[in-house]
């Protein structure tokens, strides 16, 4: 392929040729005449006069090319004991039958479908069935509560929802149906029908006239052999909308188009992950997150790999060897997960004995992303696996790697703590708050020069202005990543922290502002601030500091329990909100801004500079004392 420097510089010199060449790997109905259309959309669009179908590219074309008998998807579920695999031809059959069901329910090109599913193969089939008929999907993570689902229903306005009777967590069965019904009741937008997968572990009642039984309906169309051709869509039509935490309780609907997405993801499989068609690739994430969209479902299938859909946890299902077992059993060549998963494994198997029990000879590389990969975890993982460990940095918004180590082009030397260098498509700069270039080695705002590459989001769903305000306005000509970082003299990037209120809890992206909105609604709470504190396993954990209403004399532990339950009910268990500390005052600047970053340093015992603008420095001592007394840490 050449060296990284050649390829990166080649892209920079002539991005148009670079992306037109990459587009050759995709089957188009109408081949685009050029790559970038600067005058379209808020900040330009990719391949705007092209048309294609993503499901065709991910499934049908491999069958047509004679790869129908290759395994496309392996479902490995240590939590239920189930294991199944599907060839490309079988995936085509399943997806087509489900597409027939959707069509029968009146879903057509441009109609929205929400997918609220656990980690079962039907979740992937659902995404592909939507893609097949040109219906944009929006997958909602199963760990979100009814209220979060309702917010997404109202923003996305789906015609139909595909869901399941339950999800299975190690300690409990999560009944999805009450959450789904609750969300539909809460939402103003009325959903016309639901397709429900009944799972053996716990079935549910279906609402007559609204709910369709997944198995029953799919079996009928499978038996009939109903043909549902892939519908041609414009390259710029939305393939999916994925909601991600913003700086308020209102999540942002990240839009992914069809054309740029297919091109970029296909390109990434060889260049970044170093895998060839036919090899097994595994991303241990969840289809509810961007990693699941890009690297459980779309990219490996676009590139003709075998993908693994794993329903389990890194530990406890049944032991900390489960990842190594799956890698060995299915001959995984390239593996991707969040650092927190390995921190959980390390906590139970510090010597790495479990890794030694399995034959990992097929495995070439391990990839980490989703949160900062701490050098300790990388060193440990290199030692126990004997494989290169590659950190790479990206976001829901971009859909694929911004900075990484492109193993399929050239494996660059690792600098621990750095996700390595900018990928072709991304011109990364580090700017001061005033928009000046920071010198090498100095901390600043990490931004990307516009345009963003194919695959990155062109806008937010029905919110061009919010897209502009949140991402483009602050540094004109650049995309603001909201990460702070450093670029060294070799072009290696170091991502240090978020510049907004997003925290990363066990690889899950959450908004502290969203939690504050929920907590402030508790009747005994006058004001509150939520910060992310350091946690050895999850990276960060949310911690709330609350000023109670004057005259509240209820026991603190009762209020703490109620607030934790409220966050769980309104946002979901995934928020992992457990710590609430009552305080008399919150530290603020003289203009009234809460000094959250300083609070975090006080609580984590880090060194900090007393902010010059603080209204009363004594408040920090009060915070530290209340923390000691009430946090339980
Ligand atoms: N449906 C319903 N509930 C869910 C859920 C889902 N899909 N996923 C998580 N939850 C619940 C959990 O059961 C838990 O509930 P609890 O408070 O009753 O115990 C809560 O949400 C927090 O879950 P989680 O964040 O998974 O924490 P954990 O302590 O159960 O496990 C890890 C910790 C590190 C093992 C786990 O978070 C993990 O595997 N993380 C990797 C994350 C990842 O893949 N991120 C994607 C980016 S690559
Ligand atoms: P998400 O949109 O959920 O993928 O979260 C994106 C955010 O996670 C980024 O903006 C970073 O703050 C953080 N992140 C993701 N990958 C990395 C990484 N490799 N190193 C440091 N932070 C990361």
């Amino acid at each position: 392929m050449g060296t990284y420097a050649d390829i990166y510089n080649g892209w920079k010199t002539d991005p148009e040729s670079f992306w037109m060449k990459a587009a050759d790997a995709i089957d188009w109905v109408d081949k685009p005449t050029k790559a970038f259309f600067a005058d379209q959309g808020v900040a330009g669009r990719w391949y705007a006069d092209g048309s294609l179908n993503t499901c065709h590219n991910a499934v049908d074309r491999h069958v047509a090319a004679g790869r129908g008998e290759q395994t496309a998807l392996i479902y490995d579920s240590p939590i239920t004991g189930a294991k199944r695999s599907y060839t490309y031809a079988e995936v085509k059959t399943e997806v087509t039958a489900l597409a027939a069901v959707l069509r029968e329910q009146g879903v057509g090109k441009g109609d929205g479908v929400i997918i609220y599913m656990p980690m079962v193969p039907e979740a992937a089939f659902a995404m592909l069935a939507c893609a097949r008929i040109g219906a944009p999907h929006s997958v909602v993570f199963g760990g979100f509560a009814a209220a979060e689902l309702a917010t997404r229903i109202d923003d996305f306005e789906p015609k139909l929802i595909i869901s399941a009777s339950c999800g299975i967590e190690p300690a409990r069965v999560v009944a999805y149906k009450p959450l789904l019904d609750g969300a539909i009741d809460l939402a103003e937008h009325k959903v016309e029908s639901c397709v429900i997968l009944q799972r053996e572990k716990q079935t549910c009642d279906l609402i007559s006239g609204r709910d369709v039984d997944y198995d029953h309906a799919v079996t009928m169309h499978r038996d009939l052999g109903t043909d549902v051709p892939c519908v041609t869509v414009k390259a710029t039509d939305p393939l999916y909308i994925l909601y991600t935490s913003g700086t308020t309780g209102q999540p942002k609907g990240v839009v992914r188009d069809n054309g740029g997405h297919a091109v970029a993801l296909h390109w990434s499989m060889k260049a970044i992950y170093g895998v060839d068609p036919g090899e097994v690739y595994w991303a241990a994430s969840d289809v509810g997150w961007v990693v699941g969209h890009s690297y459980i479902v779309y990219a490996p299938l676009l590139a003709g790999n075998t993908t693994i859909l794993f329903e389990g946890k890194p530990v406890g299902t049944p032991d900390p060897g489960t990842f190594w077992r799956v890698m060995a059993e299915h001959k995984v060549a390239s593996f991707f997960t969040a650092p927190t998963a390995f921190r959980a494994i390390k906590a139970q198997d510090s010597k790495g004995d479990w890794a030694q029990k399995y034959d990992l000879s097929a495995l070439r590389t391990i990839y980490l992303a989703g949160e900062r990969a701490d050098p300790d975890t990388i060193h440990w993982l290199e030692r126990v696996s004997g494989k290169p460990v590659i950190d790479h940095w990206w976001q829901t918004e971009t859909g694929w790697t911004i900075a990484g180590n492109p193993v399929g082009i050239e494996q660059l030397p690792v600098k621990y703590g750095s996700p390595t260098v900018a990928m072709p498509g991304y011109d990364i700069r580090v700017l001061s708050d005033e928009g000046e270039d920071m010198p090498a080695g100095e901390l600043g705002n990490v931004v990307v020069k516009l345009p963003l590459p194919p695959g990155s989001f062109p806008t937010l769903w029905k919110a061009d202005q919010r897209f502009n305000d949140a991402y483009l306005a602050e540094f004109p000509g650049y995309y603001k990543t909201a990460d702070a970082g450093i670029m060294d003299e070799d072009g290696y990037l170091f991502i240090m922290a978020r510049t907004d209120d997003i925290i990363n809890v066990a690889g899950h992206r959450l908004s502290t502002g969203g939690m504050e909105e929920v907590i402030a609604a508790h009747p005994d709470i006058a004001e509150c601030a939520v910060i992310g504190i350091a946690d050895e396993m999850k990276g960060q954990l949310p911690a709330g500091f609350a000023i109670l209403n004057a005259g509240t004399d209820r026991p603190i532990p009762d209020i703490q329990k109620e607030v934790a339950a409220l966050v769980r009910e309104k946002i979901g268990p995934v928020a992992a909100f457990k710590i609430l500390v009552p305080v008399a005052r919150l530290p603020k600047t003289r203009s009234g801004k809460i000094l959250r970053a300083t609070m975090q340093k006080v609580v984590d015992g880090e060194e900090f500079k007393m902010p010059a603008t603080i209204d009363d420095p004594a408040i920090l001592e009060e915070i530290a004392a209340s923390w000691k007394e009430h946090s339980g840490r």
Side-chain angles (χ1 to χ4, degrees), residues 154-415:
D154 278 336
D155 198 71
F156 188 54
E157 301 182 322
K159 191 151 194 177
L160 179 144
I161 299 182
I162 307 178
S163 188
S165 55
C166 69
I168 304 161
E169 288 293 293
R172 67 201 157 94
V173 174
V174 182
Y176 273 35
K177 195 59 183 356
L179 298 172
L180 175 69
D181 291 344
I184 290 177
D185 282 349
L186 275 174
E188 276 175 28
H189 169 78
K190 286 303 149 215
V191 177
E192 292 166 26
S193 49
C194 298
V195 177
I196 310 286
L197 179 77
Q198 295 281 18
R199 301 193 74 190
E200 247 173 51
K201 187 91 185 168
Q202 186 174 311
T203 56
C204 62
D205 292 333
L206 300 185
I207 297 178
S208 147
R210 191 200 72 183
D211 296 343
V212 174
D213 182 278
Y214 184 112
D215 270 337
H216 184 262
V218 164
T219 304
M220 189 184 88
H221 285 289
R222 199 195 295 119
D223 291 350
L224 285 171
T226 312
D227 184 32
V228 182
C230 291
V231 170
T232 301
V233 297
K234 287 195 287 201
T236 52
D237 281 342
L239 170 67
Y240 69 76
I241 311 301
L242 178 57
Y243 287 90
T244 190
S245 300
T247 42
T248 63
Q250 181 66 25
K252 294 167 169 166
V254 168
V255 175
R256 195 80 60 210
D257 67 13
N258 276 273
H261 173 255
V263 172
L265 260 53
H266 185 282
W267 181 86
S268 73
M269 286 306 285
K270 176 68 183 164
I272 297 177
Y273 299 100
V275 288
D276 288 313
E279 290 194 297
V280 185
Y281 177 88
W282 178 26
S285 177
D286 188 289
V287 287
W289 306 117
V290 69
V291 175
H293 280 67
S294 293
Y295 292 106
I296 295 174
V297 181
Y298 287 112
L301 297 181
L302 284 164
N305 294 108
T306 298
T307 188
I308 297 184
L309 200 134
F310 171 80
E311 188 183 28
K313 300 267 175 176
V315 293
T317 57
D319 53 50
T322 197
F323 274 12
W324 307 121
R325 193 268 301 160
V326 173
M327 286 184 233
E329 192 171 320
H330 305 301
K331 302 196 167 35
V332 172
S334 190
F335 175 64
F336 175 2
T337 195
T340 189
F342 278 113
R343 287 197 299 269
I345 295 172
K346 183 169 135 218
Q348 293 193 12
D349 181 28
S350 62
K351 292 215 216 88
D353 292 340
W354 283 95
Q356 313 316 318
K357 292 184 206 256
Y358 296 99
D359 173 9
L360 299 175
S361 54
L363 181 68
R364 291 195 295 273
T365 323
I366 297 175
Y367 292 82
L368 299 176
E371 53 164 341
R372 187 179 142 76
D374 53 294
D376 274 359
T377 302
I378 299 185
H379 286 304
W380 175 84
L381 192 49
E382 284 174 335
R383 187 167 52 74
V384 307
S385 68
K387 310 289 174 183
V389 176
I390 305 292
D391 180 15
H392 59 324
W393 167 66
W394 49 295
Q395 306 180 311
T396 304
E397 286 85 346
T398 66
W400 63 285
T401 311
I402 312 171
N405 193 336
V407 166
I409 298 174
E410 175 193 11
Q411 193 167 322
L412 298 169
V414 169
K415 292 192 188 184

Side-chain angles (χ1 to χ4, degrees), residues 36 98 105 119 184 219 249 258 283 316 380 461 487 502 535 566:
F36 189 60
L98 181 56
Q105 292 301 314
M119 283 290 285
I184 290 177
T219 304
N258 276 273
W380 175 84
W461 182 241
M487 176 102 65
I502 299 294
D535 181 77
L566 197 60

